[in-house]
Amino acid sequence: MEVIIGKTSGFCYGVKNAVDKANEELDNSSENIYCIGELVHNKQVTNKLQEKGLIFIENIDEANGKTIIRAHGIKKEIYQKAKELNIELKDLTCPKVLKIHETVEEYSKNGYYIFLVGIANHPETIGTYSFCGENSSIIENINDLDEVVAKFQKTNLNKALLITQTTYNLKEFEEIGQKLKEMLKQIELKIINSICLSTESRQKEADLLSKQVQLMIIVGGRNSSNTRKLYDISIKNCENVIFAETKEDLDMNFIKQFEKIGVMAGASTPYESIDNIVESIKNK
C-alpha cells in the first residue's frame, strides 16, 4: 500500500501563531484566561488548551480576566464592549483576517458597497461582516447573486468591492467574480482575492492528489471551513473520500481494499493527528 501525504497539510501560520501564543499565555499566568469561541476549529487542539486551563466562553460578558480573541476574529463591537468592561484582550486573530477587516472598513467609508463571499455562520465571516458597514451583503454561493445584486441596486451606489473569507474555495470565488462583473457592467467593481496563500496551495494540492489515488482521507475538524473545502474538492475527483478527525474515525476494513491512498489535512489540524492516522493505516 502507498500512502501519499499532502505537503501542505497541517497548521498554517495563523493557526500556529494563535496556538503557540495561547499556550504561552497559559504557561505564564496564574490567573484565569478566557477565549471567545474556539481558538481554532479542531477538537484535539481546544481540548488540550482546556486541560491547561483555558476557559472557553461565547460572550464577552462571561469573561472575568484576560481574554483571547480566536484566530477567526470577532465582531467589531466586542472590542468596544471589552474596553467598557475593562477586560484585557489578547488578539490572536490571524493577521490576514485583520487585514481584511481593515480593507472592508476602509472601502465602506469610501462609499463602496461590500460583497463579502463566505459561509454566513462561520466566525470569520461574522466578524468581518461587522466591519463592512450598512451597505453590504454576504454571498455564500453563486446562487445568492440575484438577491444581493437587487439589494445593491436599491442603494444607488456606483461602486462595489468583492472580497472573500480567507478559506473559501478559489474556483468558486473566481466564478462568482466573473458572474458579478457581467451583472454589474455599468459600475466600478473592485475584486480582491483574500483567500490566504496557505489555503489556496492546500486546495490546489488536494485537487491534484485526489486525481491520482483510489482513496482520499481528509484529516481535521468537521466544523473547519478550510478542511471541509478539501473534502468538497476531493470528492469531485475521487470516488472514495472520507473525513477523519482522529484515527478512531477510520474503518480499517474499508481502507485495506485500496492500494493508493492520499492524505490531506486542514490548516487547524495538528501534525500529531496526521501522523497518528497515517501510522494506523500503515500498520493495519
Side-chain angles (χ1 to χ4, degrees):
M1 174 187 290
E2 181 183 6
V3 180
I4 306 172
I5 306 170
K7 295 178 181 178
T8 56
S9 294
F11 281 177
C12 66
Y13 169 78
V15 169
K16 186 178 186 304
N17 177 67
V19 173
D20 286 348
K21 289 186 176 178
N23 275 302
E24 286 177 16
E25 292 292 331
L26 292 167
D27 291 339
N28 297 321
S29 177
S30 59
E31 303 293 328
N32 285 340
I33 298 180
Y34 301 81
C35 181
I36 304 175
E38 292 184 326
L39 182 71
V40 298
H41 281 158
N42 185 277
K43 288 182 181 178
Q44 288 68 49
V45 173
T46 53
N47 286 346
K48 285 186 176 181
L49 290 169
Q50 198 166 27
E51 288 169 5
K52 290 185 72 171
L54 188 61
I55 302 170
F56 291 99
I57 58 176
E58 292 302 321
N59 194 302
I60 191 65
D61 293 323
E62 301 173 53
N64 191 28
K66 183 184 288 188
T67 300
I68 288 172
I69 298 176
R70 62 192 170 205
H72 310 100
I74 56 173
K75 288 184 177 180
K76 182 179 180 180
E77 52 264 32
I78 295 177
Y79 288 96
Q80 181 59 38
K81 187 69 177 293
K83 188 175 181 180
E84 293 171 1
L85 295 173
N86 199 30
I87 293 173
E88 179 185 356
L89 293 178
K90 177 70 176 180
D91 198 344
L92 299 186
T93 304
C94 172
K96 290 181 174 60
V97 175
L98 288 175
K99 177 61 179 176
I100 296 172
H101 291 180
E102 294 173 3
T103 300
V104 297
E105 190 168 40
E106 178 183 354
Y107 272 84
S108 178
K109 288 178 180 177
N110 288 324
Y112 283 77
Y113 190 96
I114 310 298
F115 292 108
L116 174 61
V117 179
I119 300 170
N121 64 356
H122 190 279
E124 181 188 329
T125 304
I126 292 170
T128 300
Y129 195 54
S130 70
F131 288 84
C132 290
E134 181 179 356
N135 293 314
S136 59
S137 294
I138 294 174
I139 300 171
E140 288 200 281
N141 57 61
I142 201 165
N143 296 324
D144 294 333
L145 289 182
D146 286 340
E147 182 180 346
V148 300
V149 166
K151 181 181 174 183
F152 162 74
Q153 290 171 336
K154 290 178 181 179
T155 67
N156 294 319
L157 293 174
N158 61 1
K159 51 187 179 180
L161 168 70
L162 178 69
I163 195 166
T164 179
Q165 179 183 341
T166 59
T167 56
Y168 201 77
N169 183 290
L170 175 61
K171 185 178 180 181
E172 291 180 21
F173 176 68
E174 290 174 342
E175 290 173 352
I176 289 170
Q178 184 57 42
K179 182 66 175 177
L180 195 60
K181 279 183 186 179
E182 296 170 4
M183 296 176 74
L184 299 176
K185 290 180 180 178
Q186 305 304 316
I187 69 111
E188 176 190 339
L189 178 63
K190 176 74 173 178
I191 299 178
I192 297 180
N193 174 9
S194 47
I195 298 172
C196 77
L197 182 59
S198 172
T199 296
E200 189 174 325
S201 300
R202 208 178 300 257
Q203 290 179 2
K204 288 179 178 178
E205 185 174 21
D207 185 49
L208 289 172
L209 182 56
S210 59
K211 294 173 181 175
Q212 302 168 18
V213 298
Q214 299 166 307
L215 170 68
M216 280 290 289
I217 299 176
I218 308 300
V219 186
R222 295 182 184 278
N223 59 340
S224 165
S225 172
N226 78 88
T227 307
R228 175 57 60 181
K229 293 295 187 298
L230 299 179
Y231 180 92
D232 293 342
I233 290 168
S234 298
I235 200 69
K236 293 178 181 178
N237 303 319
C238 183
E239 186 177 348
N240 303 289
V241 184
I242 59 177
F243 215 123
E245 292 192 2
T246 67
K247 63 182 181 181
E248 283 72 26
D249 294 326
L250 301 176
D251 180 350
M252 292 304 177
N253 288 325
F254 175 74
I255 291 172
K256 68 182 181 182
Q257 65 182 302
F258 301 103
E259 292 300 322
K260 196 170 186 180
I261 299 172
V263 177
M264 286 294 300
S268 54
T269 306
Y271 295 110
E272 180 182 355
S273 295
I274 303 169
D275 291 341
N276 286 341
I277 282 178
V278 172
E279 184 178 345
S280 295
I281 296 169
K282 290 183 175 179
N283 295 333
K284 65 176 179 56

